[in-house]
């Protein structure tokens, strides 16, 4: 552990002692800094292990009727228990947030105006949200609600401690202020005022606000409990030290009684609320989720030996817990862990984890450097000015990006040009603002060094020429162009995934095999749940032979929860014949509508249909012939989404060919007419402003067709000609 942590750049401790279990400073007490870092590091490690075991696919989603909704599908009957535990982990983080910031304000040596300066507030907000904001802008959506929750908790604590801060050390008036905060929390989250957010208008129009409200409802008492614990920390410390000063038997009996009481409460919580379904647990978590947190806090500090030592590797990880949380969204996606070593999942997990920890350390250092550069905490006015400039600059760039998107001008060339131009302008602005200060600071440092030790004096040559100032942006532009050329080369060199996506087949696989063996022997993924696993039977599983290690197209099956997450908030339009209608019905079944396409489905076969599941919409347009698909695409293009406030589709799936062979392949002129129609179809598909997927005709079981005409006109051989025409 020590050698590996040093290799990644992690130091197990700031102390001189070595070893995994290390000492803390003598003055540190209950829930000291090393303990909080150790706690965060342990939760970060648990998060990575949870994601490695595909824990991300069990995440709860929000439905459109309000509250939390998730069905206990076939993924595993115990999946909801692990997800409930992840909510306790989030509660722990927010508890530590409330504890840490309250301790700073309450036990600050001076506790004067310097503790509550606006510059410190801006620094904390920048530290928590800087990386999250830029990552959200890059991926195009906000996925880091925990950063918003931490920011919200910090602002609540800052406002509470700052307002009437003169009474913070008055025994009764300060408790009245805390009681007022508790009353506000109760009114907002526990009274009927919260029903305002259950209206569909709020959910559909302000979806991010609605999701943040649901997340904050889960943990609305966590930070407050951390505040209370921090304020009463001397009492808890005195109680433990008082017991330890008594006779050893008295000490053991008293602590044992407290421990058994807390243990009994935790056992009741484990057997009761923790075993509830997701929706039921979400209701009880705000009030009972703090139980395991307080129990762990007491157990961790139950004796002096526990308080005086900490696990160094976890403390080191705890420093980068924020960056680990941010980056794990990209290292462990809904599709699983990033794949570097196919067929060896544990080795791959170890490599991805090492890269993630290294990237987290680099990101942490870069954010700290940026914070010191942009927001000087000791200069209040300059800090506020720089923060305002950052917000205005981001708003301008975001507005420009939205304008380009609405004007359909988003391309690699456009983005590259704007990036280079804006980067040069920003660099020149920073240089003009800071060059004189940088020069004066360098001269002062050189002069101070010469006075302290003449042997170390040096001549500081400040190159103020135009070439010295313009060379960094030129070098950055050159690096950007080289990176773009390399990316373009490798992108063109890789084989398109569409060429092998349809080359799959069924293979008999024992679902109990390990994931690595399944991939190495069958190029398949173990998507069959453990409850369906049996050593005595083999299952047929769909596999792609081209799903090799050297390709970037790593196909795999997706279960219903993953499909629901991917299609959350999306609109999909399907245009085509009966095969596309079957795809439409299959998507509906993935969303939980198990009657779609069944005997009880009353939807007419040859007609349009619209299905809405929460924020996901599927729209099917019946178009049996290629000419019908062209007509439907023209209507879709000319429907005027912006003018009529209609929602533009996020994906268009079109397909056909079987009906063309059946009805338009009678005379010798028909094949040429079909080619002309396919040419028009290809042009219409290219003019659609949304992503388009063409659904090729599936394999035809010729003998199963119900008429001689179909067995002649729609045979697998005839449909093969249509596939070649579409290609």
């Amino acid at each position: 552990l020590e050698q590996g942590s040093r290799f990644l750049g992690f130091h197990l401790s700031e102390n001189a002692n070595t070893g995994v279990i290390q000492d803390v400073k003598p003055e540190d007490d209950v829930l000291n800094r090393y303990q909080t870092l150790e706690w965060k590091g342990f939760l970060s490690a648990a998060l990575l292990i949870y994601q490695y075991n595909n824990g991300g696919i069990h995440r709860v989603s929000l439905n459109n009727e309000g509250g939390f909704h998730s069905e206990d599908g076939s993924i595993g009957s115990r999946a909801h228990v692990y997800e409930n535990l992840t909510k306790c982990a989030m509660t722990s983080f927010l508890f530590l947030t409330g504890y840490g910031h309250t301790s700073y304000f309450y036990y600050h040596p001076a506790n004067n105006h310097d503790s509550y300066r606006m510059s410190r507030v801006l620094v904390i907000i920048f530290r928590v949200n800087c990386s999250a904001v830029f990552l959200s802008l890059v991926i195009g959506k906000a996925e880091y609600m925990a950063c918003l929750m931490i920011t919200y908790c910090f602002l609540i604590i800052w406002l509470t401690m700052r307002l009437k801060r003169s009474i913070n050390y008055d025994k009764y008036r300060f408790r009245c202020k805390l009681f007022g905060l508790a009353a506000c929390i109760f009114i907002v989250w526990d009274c009927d005022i919260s029903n305002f957010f259950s209206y569909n208008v709020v959910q559909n129009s302000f979806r991010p606000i609605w999701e943040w409200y649901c997340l904050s409802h889960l943990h609305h008492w966590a930070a407050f409990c951390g505040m209370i614990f921090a304020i009463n920390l001397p009492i808890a410390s005195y109680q433990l030290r008082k017991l330890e000063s008594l006779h050893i038997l008295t000490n053991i009996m008293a602590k044992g009684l407290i421990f058994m009481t807390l243990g009994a409460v935790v056992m009741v919580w484990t057997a009761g609320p923790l075993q509830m379904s997701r929706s039921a647990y979400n209701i009880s978590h705000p009030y009972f989720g703090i139980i395991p947190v307080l129990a762990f806090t007491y157990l961790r500090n139950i004796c002096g030996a526990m308080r005086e030592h900490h696990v160094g590797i976890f403390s080191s990880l705890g420093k980068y817990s924020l960056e680990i949380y941010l980056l794990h969204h990209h290292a462990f996606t809904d599709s699983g862990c990033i794949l570097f070593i196919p067929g060896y999942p544990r080795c791959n997990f170890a490599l991805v984890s090492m890269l993630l920890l290294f990237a987290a350390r680099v990101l942490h250092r870069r954010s700290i450097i940026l914070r010191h550069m942009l927001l000087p905490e000791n200069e209040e006015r300059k800090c506020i000015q720089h923060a305002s400039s950052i917000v205005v600059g981001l708003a301008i760039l975001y507005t420009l990006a939205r304008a380009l998107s609405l004007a359909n001008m988003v391309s690699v060339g456009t983005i590259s040009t704007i990036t280079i131009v804006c980067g040069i302008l920003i660099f020149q602005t920073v240089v003009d603002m800071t060059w004189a200060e940088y020069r004066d600071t360098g001269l002062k440092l050189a002069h101070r060094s010469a006075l302290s030790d003449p042997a170390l004096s040096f001549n500081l040559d400040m190159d103020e020429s135009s070439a010295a100032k313009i060379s960094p942006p030129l070098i950055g532009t050159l690096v950007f162009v080289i990176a773009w050329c390399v990316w373009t080369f490798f992108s063109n060199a890789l084989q398109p995934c569409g060429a092998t996506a349809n080359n799959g087949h069924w293979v008999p696989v024992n679902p109990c095999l390990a994931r690595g063996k399944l991939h190495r022997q069958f190029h398949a993924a173990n998507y069959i749940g453990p409850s369906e696993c049996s050593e005595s039977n083999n299952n047929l599983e769909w596999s792609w032979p081209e799903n090799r290690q050297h390709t970037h197209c790593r196909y795999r099956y997706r279960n219903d929860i993953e499909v629901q997450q991917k299609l959350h908030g999306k609109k999909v339009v399907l245009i085509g014949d009966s095969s596309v209608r079957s795809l439409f019905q299959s998507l509906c079944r993935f969303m939980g509508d198990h009657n779609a396409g069944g005997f009880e489905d009353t939807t007419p076969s040859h007609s349009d249909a619209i299905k809405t599941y929460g924020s996901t919409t599927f729209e099917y347009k019946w178009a049996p012939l290629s000419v019908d698909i062209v007509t439907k695409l023209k209507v879709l293009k000319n429907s005027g989404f912006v003018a009529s406030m209609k929602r533009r589709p996020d994906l268009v799936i079109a397909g056909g060919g079987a009906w063309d062979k059946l009805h338009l392949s009678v005379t010798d002129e028909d094949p040429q007419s079909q080619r002309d129609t396919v040419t028009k179809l290809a042009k219409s598909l290219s003019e659609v402003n949304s992503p388009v997927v063409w659904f090729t005709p599936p394999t035809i079981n010729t003998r199963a067709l119900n008429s001689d005409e179909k067995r002649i006109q729609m045979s697998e051989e005839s449909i093969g000609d249509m596939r070649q025409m579409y290609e």
Side-chain angles (χ1 to χ4, degrees), residues 11 27 73 79 147 154 163 191 202 233 243 263 310 326 334 336 384 388 441 549 579 616 622 647 670-671 694:
H11 302 287
E27 63 270 16
C147 296
F154 167 72
L163 292 176
C191 294
V202 177
L233 182 64
L243 290 177
H310 70 284
L326 295 175
D334 293 335
I384 296 175
S388 302
T441 303
Q549 299 180 10
S579 60
T616 304
W622 168 250
R647 182 179 173 187
D670 287 338
W694 177 255

Side-chain angles (χ1 to χ4, degrees), residues 44 61 76 158 163 174 182 246 288 304 417 512 529 638 696:
S44 300
S61 59
W158 176 74
L163 292 176
F174 182 51
L246 300 176
F288 299 103
T417 303
C512 301
N638 300 325
T696 58

Side-chain angles (χ1 to χ4, degrees), residues 565-581:
Q565 292 176 349
K566 287 292 184 181
L567 297 178
H568 178 72
K570 306 296 184 182
K571 178 181 179 180
V572 182
V573 175
L574 299 96
I575 306 173
D577 55 10
S578 54
S579 60
V580 179
R581 186 183 67 243

